Amino acid sequence: MGNSNSDTLHSGTPHGNVRLFTSDKSWIEGAALAQLNHTAGLPGMVMAAGFPDLHPGKGIAVGAAFVSRGLFYPALAGNDIGCGMSFWATDLPARKLKLDRIEKRIAGLEQPWDGDLDPWRARFDLAPSLADAGLGTIGGGNHFAELQVVDEVRDAAAFAGLGLDKADAAILVHSGSRALGQDIFQELIARHGANPLEEGSEAAAHYLARHEYAMRFARANRALIAHRFAGEIGAEARGVSDVAHNMVTREEFEGAPAWIHRKGAASTREALAAGALMIPGSRGTPSYLVRATDAGEKAAWSLAHGAGRRWQRGYAKSRLSHKYRVEDLQRSELGGRVICEDRELLYDEAPQAYKDIAQVIADLEAADLIATIAVYRPVLTYKVRRASDE
């Protein structure tokens, strides 16, 4: 696979009602552009934005935002409503990290929590439900909980303004609404398929109420994962930023209300409110703590949510298994540890399966969508502590 002029457009180049925020140094797969253009042409769509992490999804491009009026498309939010990144400062000095001990000790973040959920439900206005078994659990795919340390501070004033200390370790959590989001999606497809819902309709009101609940559940989930992770490493955690990237919301756009659908695209408005957004690479590359500019309008108030995949799932193992043993992939080129006892997932989520995060960040900066505050390095990434064949 390689770059070609037909697969890449420059930042801001108009293509119908599609705006792309990439450069000629970013490789964008033709299938992703085809999906982006198809969705942008649906009834009611007024604009679409594609970011440098753009890649093909299951019929819908990931790394994109879509704006509509009069009706909206819940299927674009997918089955993991509210999925996002939450970033947490800890009081644990990086120099005191005992990674050998942490790697051996930490476990169970994919399993139901045995603590008291009542305070978490109250904090996020959640009612007891069958979905509670997933509250505080990571989930599969590209979800993770990660221990990070500062590599570089690029904006000292913004860094200090967030109350961060470059000597301390941090936690990054990527997860969503778990089985709750899947249940909402299945109900949606059974009732309406992938069809749009009319603004103000009873069907729209029903979906949006469940969507809003799932958004709260996803934020509660990430907060509890961070709490569990911090407890395992003997630290206290403080939330710095929590920004979702899978959702459909009613927002102001170009002077009037509109529906903004984000599929693997972080909310600029949430990033501005938090003061920062973490854009991760992979378990073997840095993550970038950035601040959003106030130029969100031109990009549908959205940003890239990560590096984006180079290889589709299931493809990485055939490309890598002859070069890398499982043991090799449990250590990153940056010296980080990887806890993932699912062999297939270990290969699927290998750093080689992802795009160059430095280029993604460079493209966003060139488009004046972000400015980098600090660069963090992963030292321990947790995905799952159980073998898939057991």
Side-chain angles (χ1 to χ4, degrees):
M1 295 183 292
N3 201 354
S4 72
N5 291 333
S6 63
D7 279 353
T8 307
L9 297 179
H10 291 278
S11 171
T13 301
H15 189 76
N17 64 339
V18 174
R19 301 174 190 174
L20 287 176
F21 297 88
T22 68
S23 71
D24 57 5
K25 294 181 180 179
S26 290
W27 181 79
I28 305 294
E29 193 170 346
L33 288 176
Q35 289 181 344
L36 182 70
N37 288 330
H38 172 75
T39 305
L42 294 174
M45 287 295 178
V46 297
M47 198 270 260
F51 301 98
D53 57 336
L54 189 75
H55 59 279
K58 295 179 180 178
I60 304 166
V62 181
F66 305 92
V67 184
S68 69
R69 285 200 168 97
L71 44 78
F72 64 93
Y73 293 79
L76 293 181
N79 64 349
D80 198 7
I81 300 163
C83 184
M85 303 284 176
S86 66
F87 179 64
W88 301 74
T90 79
D91 59 354
L92 183 61
R95 60 182 175 79
K96 291 187 176 181
L97 290 177
K98 294 178 172 57
L99 292 179
D100 287 338
R101 186 172 73 181
I102 293 173
E103 185 179 18
K104 291 177 181 177
R105 175 180 175 180
I106 193 166
L109 297 180
E110 69 285 336
Q111 300 295 332
W113 187 47
D114 59 4
D116 182 9
L117 288 177
D118 284 343
W120 297 91
R121 294 193 194 99
R123 177 177 165 187
F124 292 92
D125 191 20
L126 301 174
S129 74
L130 294 176
D132 287 351
L135 197 58
T137 65
I138 294 175
N142 60 355
H143 295 163
F144 61 82
E146 189 166 83
L147 187 62
Q148 301 184 334
V149 297
V150 176
D151 252 3
E152 177 187 2
V153 175
R154 294 186 183 176
D155 185 336
F159 190 80
L162 293 168
L164 296 171
D165 187 329
K166 65 181 180 180
D168 290 338
I171 295 171
L172 179 64
V173 176
H174 177 204
S175 192
S177 52
R178 308 291 284 114
L180 175 64
Q182 180 67 29
D183 178 67
I184 295 171
F185 183 73
Q186 287 176 342
E187 179 190 64
L188 170 77
I189 297 303
R191 291 185 177 187
H192 308 288
N195 296 312
L197 300 182
E198 288 190 19
E199 187 176 290
S201 67
E202 184 178 339
H206 175 77
Y207 173 80
L208 291 171
R210 297 205 73 192
H211 175 284
E212 176 57 30
Y213 190 90
M215 292 287 290
R216 297 200 305 273
F217 188 97
R219 297 190 199 283
N221 184 38
R222 288 189 289 275
L224 183 49
I225 292 169
H227 172 78
R228 296 179 69 183
F229 194 107
E232 290 285 329
I233 63 175
E236 293 290 331
R238 174 183 63 85
V240 176
S241 170
D242 186 285
V243 179
H245 54 238
N246 278 0
M247 54 184 163
V248 54
T249 51
R250 181 106 163 130
E251 301 179 32
E252 283 289 312
F253 178 73
E254 295 183 346
W259 297 99
I260 300 182
H261 313 70
R262 296 181 176 92
K263 185 66 173 178
S267 167
T268 301
R269 284 190 165 105
E270 286 190 4
L272 286 168
L277 162 69
M278 184 64 87
I279 303 180
S282 69
R283 68 191 186 217
T285 56
S287 294
Y288 290 76
L289 184 66
V290 307
R291 62 176 178 83
T293 71
D294 59 3
E297 184 89 338
K298 66 182 180 182
W301 293 102
S302 301
L303 296 164
H305 77 312
R309 294 194 71 88
R310 281 184 69 220
W311 301 337
Q312 294 183 20
R313 298 189 182 282
Y315 185 58
K317 187 175 181 180
S318 64
R319 292 290 300 266
L320 299 174
S321 58
H322 67 288
K323 295 175 62 177
Y324 300 96
R325 302 170 302 163
V326 166
E327 293 79 8
D328 299 327
L329 295 179
Q330 290 172 337
R331 294 292 184 269
S332 77
E333 292 184 2
L334 298 179
R337 320 291 181 91
V338 180
I339 298 174
C340 180
E341 296 179 358
D342 181 325
R343 180 186 294 263
E344 198 74 27
L345 189 59
L346 187 66
Y347 281 99
D348 269 349
E349 292 299 309
Q352 295 87 338
Y354 283 84
K355 298 183 185 185
D356 179 2
I357 184 60
Q359 187 59 54
V360 169
I361 296 298
D363 285 357
L364 295 175
E365 289 181 330
D368 192 30
L369 296 179
I370 64 164
T372 299
I373 298 172
V375 182
Y376 278 76
R377 172 170 49 89
V379 294
L380 187 143
T381 305
Y382 186 102
K383 296 186 74 68
V384 61
R385 184 125 242 182
R386 51 178 171 73
S388 59
D389 56 357
E390 288 184 353

